[in-house]
Every structure is written in C-alpha cells, then in structure tokens.
Amino acid sequence: MTKINHIVFDIGKVLIHYDPNIPYSRLIPDEQRRAWFFENVCTHEWNLEQDRGRNWEDAEALLLEKYPDHEELIRAFRLNWHEMVSHPYDDSVAILTGLIDAGHDVTMLTNFASDTFRQAQQMFPFLTIARGVTVSGDVGLIKPDVAIYK
C-alpha cells in the first residue's frame, strides 16, 4: 500500500457550491436570455481571467466597452457573487475536517479570484483550517496549467 503524505482539496464544487444562475435567475428570469448573457457577456472564460488574477474593475471595463447596455447586469456579477456560493457540501467538509483532525497534512488548491476567495473564507470558516491554500488569483496561474501544481 502506498503511504499518503499529503492531501489536496479543491474548493469550488467540492467543498462549496458555486452556481452563477442563483442570483441571475432573479436578475434575468427568462432562461434563454440568461443563457445568452452567460454565453456572450459574463462568460466562463471571462470569469476565469479573474481567477487568473485580473481585477474586477478591469474585467467589468472590458465588458462595459462591448456591452454598455448591460452595465447593471455586468456589475451584478461581482455584487451578487456571495449568492453564487450558496452552501457548503457538508459531507466533503466532514471529510476535510476529519482528515485534519486525524493529523494528516491537508492543503487546498483552487481556481478563485483573490478577493472573492477571502470573502468565501469569511462565509465558510472551514476554508481557513488546512495548512495552506494555493489560490489561482494570488499566483496568476489556473488549473489545469501544470505550473500551478508545481
């Protein structure tokens, strides 16, 4: 049997739920219009650049230049971000805390904007109990880039 020396947890969709549809279902009730908005304006690729370290002001400015008629909805992404991380996955958190309590060396690695990760730590204190965490927005690299693992 191989000895496990170190355990690394991902965070989004492993320890905490993430779904931008939560606030946007209220902001854009029409499902087709909301899908268009996520496919064309606040896209996954756009959001990933905040995870890589781009600040929100620059991110919003980029979209506002192209989609000025959507200013309120663009700014709503950061303003309502806390709603997108609506709850922890209690079973995964129990595994995390159990491993730490048992004396295992546990860290976390996550694609996350730096500022929203700090906000998530306030919302979910268990995000502070591992030995450390590598946040993509802090190091300027995102998974699955091999460099972030090194």
Side-chain angles (χ1 to χ4, degrees):
M1 182 178 223
T2 304
K3 181 181 177 201
I4 298 173
N5 295 315
H6 183 78
I7 301 163
V8 181
F9 272 80
D10 194 355
I11 295 175
K13 298 186 179 181
V14 174
L15 293 171
I16 58 174
H17 185 70
Y18 172 77
D19 183 359
N21 281 293
I22 295 171
Y24 278 93
S25 293
R26 180 183 75 253
L27 299 169
I28 309 174
D30 180 85
E31 191 173 332
Q32 288 181 332
R33 188 169 162 243
R34 187 170 61 251
W36 179 91
F37 182 79
F38 285 137
E39 290 168 11
N40 295 281
V41 184
C42 289
T43 65
H44 172 73
E45 293 75 18
W46 169 81
N47 188 47
L48 202 55
E49 291 308 309
Q50 284 73 263
D51 290 353
R52 194 187 310 271
R54 176 172 60 195
N55 69 52
W56 288 100
E57 183 178 298
D58 291 344
E60 290 174 351
L62 182 73
L63 294 182
L64 291 171
E65 184 177 318
K66 191 172 180 181
Y67 301 101
D69 294 343
H70 291 85
E71 180 175 3
E72 186 175 332
L73 291 172
I74 290 167
R75 293 192 189 283
F77 198 95
R78 177 62 184 95
L79 291 172
N80 295 287
W81 176 86
H82 63 282
E83 293 178 46
M84 298 177 193
V85 290
S86 58
H87 61 276
Y89 294 124
D90 293 332
D91 292 345
S92 295
V93 174
I95 293 169
L96 169 77
T97 57
L99 289 167
I100 292 170
D101 291 347
H104 292 281
D105 183 33
V106 178
T107 62
M108 300 178 205
L109 171 64
T110 187
N111 282 351
F112 231 112
S114 186
D115 67 323
T116 54
F117 180 71
R118 300 313 179 272
Q119 186 177 349
Q121 285 181 305
Q122 293 174 3
M123 294 169 66
F124 306 105
F126 61 82
L127 294 177
T128 67
I129 65 172
R131 177 174 56 84
V133 59
T134 300
V135 178
S136 63
D138 292 341
V139 299
L141 299 165
I142 56 172
K143 298 178 294 167
D145 186 333
V146 173
I148 197 169
Y149 297 97
K150 292 180 178 178

mmCIF file of all heavy atoms in Angstrom, residues 86-101:
data_model
loop_
_atom_site.group_PDB
_atom_site.id
_atom_site.type_symbol
_atom_site.label_atom_id
_atom_site.label_comp_id
_atom_site.label_asym_id
_atom_site.label_seq_id
_atom_site.Cartn_x
_atom_site.Cartn_y
_atom_site.Cartn_z
ATOM 1 N N SER A 86 -23.632 29.360 -2.494
ATOM 2 C CA SER A 86 -24.791 29.346 -1.604
ATOM 3 C C SER A 86 -24.670 28.441 -0.378
ATOM 4 O O SER A 86 -25.327 28.697 0.627
ATOM 5 C CB SER A 86 -26.029 28.924 -2.398
ATOM 6 O OG SER A 86 -25.818 27.640 -2.978
ATOM 7 N N HIS A 87 -23.845 27.397 -0.459
ATOM 8 C CA HIS A 87 -23.784 26.482 0.681
ATOM 9 C C HIS A 87 -22.563 25.569 0.574
ATOM 10 O O HIS A 87 -22.038 25.355 -0.519
ATOM 11 C CB HIS A 87 -25.065 25.642 0.780
ATOM 12 C CG HIS A 87 -25.301 24.773 -0.420
ATOM 13 N ND1 HIS A 87 -25.916 25.233 -1.572
ATOM 14 C CD2 HIS A 87 -24.990 23.476 -0.661
ATOM 15 C CE1 HIS A 87 -25.989 24.256 -2.457
ATOM 16 N NE2 HIS A 87 -25.427 23.178 -1.935
ATOM 17 N N PRO A 88 -22.152 25.039 1.726
ATOM 18 C CA PRO A 88 -21.068 24.057 1.702
ATOM 19 C C PRO A 88 -21.623 22.672 1.367
ATOM 20 O O PRO A 88 -22.824 22.417 1.517
ATOM 21 C CB PRO A 88 -20.543 24.085 3.133
ATOM 22 C CG PRO A 88 -21.726 24.454 3.958
ATOM 23 C CD PRO A 88 -22.561 25.379 3.089
ATOM 24 N N TYR A 89 -20.742 21.803 0.925
ATOM 25 C CA TYR A 89 -21.075 20.380 0.776
ATOM 26 C C TYR A 89 -20.643 19.712 2.081
ATOM 27 O O TYR A 89 -19.466 19.403 2.278
ATOM 28 C CB TYR A 89 -20.377 19.769 -0.433
ATOM 29 C CG TYR A 89 -20.850 20.322 -1.756
ATOM 30 C CD1 TYR A 89 -19.964 20.877 -2.661
ATOM 31 C CD2 TYR A 89 -22.202 20.286 -2.103
ATOM 32 C CE1 TYR A 89 -20.403 21.377 -3.876
ATOM 33 C CE2 TYR A 89 -22.645 20.789 -3.314
ATOM 34 C CZ TYR A 89 -21.743 21.326 -4.201
ATOM 35 O OH TYR A 89 -22.183 21.823 -5.410
ATOM 36 N N ASP A 90 -21.608 19.533 2.974
ATOM 37 C CA ASP A 90 -21.308 19.093 4.329
ATOM 38 C C ASP A 90 -20.539 17.777 4.385
ATOM 39 O O ASP A 90 -19.655 17.613 5.237
ATOM 40 C CB ASP A 90 -22.603 18.983 5.149
ATOM 41 C CG ASP A 90 -23.242 20.343 5.391
ATOM 42 O OD1 ASP A 90 -22.504 21.357 5.424
ATOM 43 O OD2 ASP A 90 -24.477 20.401 5.539
ATOM 44 N N ASP A 91 -20.853 16.825 3.511
ATOM 45 C CA ASP A 91 -20.135 15.549 3.529
ATOM 46 C C ASP A 91 -18.666 15.740 3.184
ATOM 47 O O ASP A 91 -17.787 15.135 3.804
ATOM 48 C CB ASP A 91 -20.779 14.545 2.566
ATOM 49 C CG ASP A 91 -22.159 14.084 3.021
ATOM 50 O OD1 ASP A 91 -22.516 14.304 4.197
ATOM 51 O OD2 ASP A 91 -22.882 13.498 2.195
ATOM 52 N N SER A 92 -18.371 16.595 2.206
ATOM 53 C CA SER A 92 -16.978 16.866 1.838
ATOM 54 C C SER A 92 -16.255 17.625 2.945
ATOM 55 O O SER A 92 -15.082 17.353 3.232
ATOM 56 C CB SER A 92 -16.913 17.670 0.538
ATOM 57 O OG SER A 92 -17.409 16.921 -0.539
ATOM 58 N N VAL A 93 -16.943 18.571 3.570
ATOM 59 C CA VAL A 93 -16.345 19.319 4.673
ATOM 60 C C VAL A 93 -16.038 18.373 5.835
ATOM 61 O O VAL A 93 -14.979 18.487 6.476
ATOM 62 C CB VAL A 93 -17.257 20.480 5.123
ATOM 63 C CG1 VAL A 93 -16.698 21.164 6.369
ATOM 64 C CG2 VAL A 93 -17.417 21.493 3.988
ATOM 65 N N ALA A 94 -16.912 17.416 6.090
ATOM 66 C CA ALA A 94 -16.671 16.440 7.158
ATOM 67 C C ALA A 94 -15.423 15.604 6.857
ATOM 68 O O ALA A 94 -14.637 15.287 7.768
ATOM 69 C CB ALA A 94 -17.892 15.534 7.345
ATOM 70 N N ILE A 95 -15.229 15.250 5.606
ATOM 71 C CA ILE A 95 -14.021 14.510 5.226
ATOM 72 C C ILE A 95 -12.788 15.376 5.450
ATOM 73 O O ILE A 95 -11.789 14.935 6.033
ATOM 74 C CB ILE A 95 -14.113 14.022 3.765
ATOM 75 C CG1 ILE A 95 -15.216 12.966 3.639
ATOM 76 C CG2 ILE A 95 -12.764 13.474 3.286
ATOM 77 C CD1 ILE A 95 -15.578 12.618 2.201
ATOM 78 N N LEU A 96 -12.854 16.636 4.987
ATOM 79 C CA LEU A 96 -11.749 17.575 5.183
ATOM 80 C C LEU A 96 -11.388 17.701 6.660
ATOM 81 O O LEU A 96 -10.226 17.522 7.050
ATOM 82 C CB LEU A 96 -12.124 18.948 4.624
ATOM 83 C CG LEU A 96 -11.190 20.108 4.967
ATOM 84 C CD1 LEU A 96 -9.931 20.059 4.118
ATOM 85 C CD2 LEU A 96 -11.903 21.444 4.782
ATOM 86 N N THR A 97 -12.356 18.005 7.487
ATOM 87 C CA THR A 97 -12.075 18.222 8.909
ATOM 88 C C THR A 97 -11.630 16.926 9.590
ATOM 89 O O THR A 97 -10.762 16.956 10.460
ATOM 90 C CB THR A 97 -13.286 18.836 9.636
ATOM 91 O OG1 THR A 97 -14.425 17.997 9.462
ATOM 92 C CG2 THR A 97 -13.600 20.224 9.095
ATOM 93 N N GLY A 98 -12.197 15.811 9.171
ATOM 94 C CA GLY A 98 -11.793 14.524 9.735
ATOM 95 C C GLY A 98 -10.337 14.204 9.441
ATOM 96 O O GLY A 98 -9.603 13.714 10.316
ATOM 97 N N LEU A 99 -9.908 14.471 8.226
ATOM 98 C CA LEU A 99 -8.509 14.236 7.853
ATOM 99 C C LEU A 99 -7.564 15.147 8.630
ATOM 100 O O LEU A 99 -6.512 14.710 9.111
ATOM 101 C CB LEU A 99 -8.327 14.420 6.352
ATOM 102 C CG LEU A 99 -8.949 13.342 5.476
ATOM 103 C CD1 LEU A 99 -8.986 13.783 4.013
ATOM 104 C CD2 LEU A 99 -8.183 12.018 5.622
ATOM 105 N N ILE A 100 -7.947 16.401 8.764
ATOM 106 C CA ILE A 100 -7.111 17.341 9.526
ATOM 107 C C ILE A 100 -7.066 16.934 10.991
ATOM 108 O O ILE A 100 -5.993 16.884 11.605
ATOM 109 C CB ILE A 100 -7.624 18.788 9.351
ATOM 110 C CG1 ILE A 100 -7.388 19.242 7.905
ATOM 111 C CG2 ILE A 100 -6.932 19.738 10.345
ATOM 112 C CD1 ILE A 100 -8.058 20.551 7.537
ATOM 113 N N ASP A 101 -8.227 16.606 11.561
ATOM 114 C CA ASP A 101 -8.286 16.189 12.966
ATOM 115 C C ASP A 101 -7.477 14.925 13.220
ATOM 116 O O ASP A 101 -6.944 14.727 14.316
ATOM 117 C CB ASP A 101 -9.738 15.983 13.411
ATOM 118 C CG ASP A 101 -10.525 17.284 13.501
ATOM 119 O OD1 ASP A 101 -9.904 18.375 13.471
ATOM 120 O OD2 ASP A 101 -11.777 17.211 13.577
#
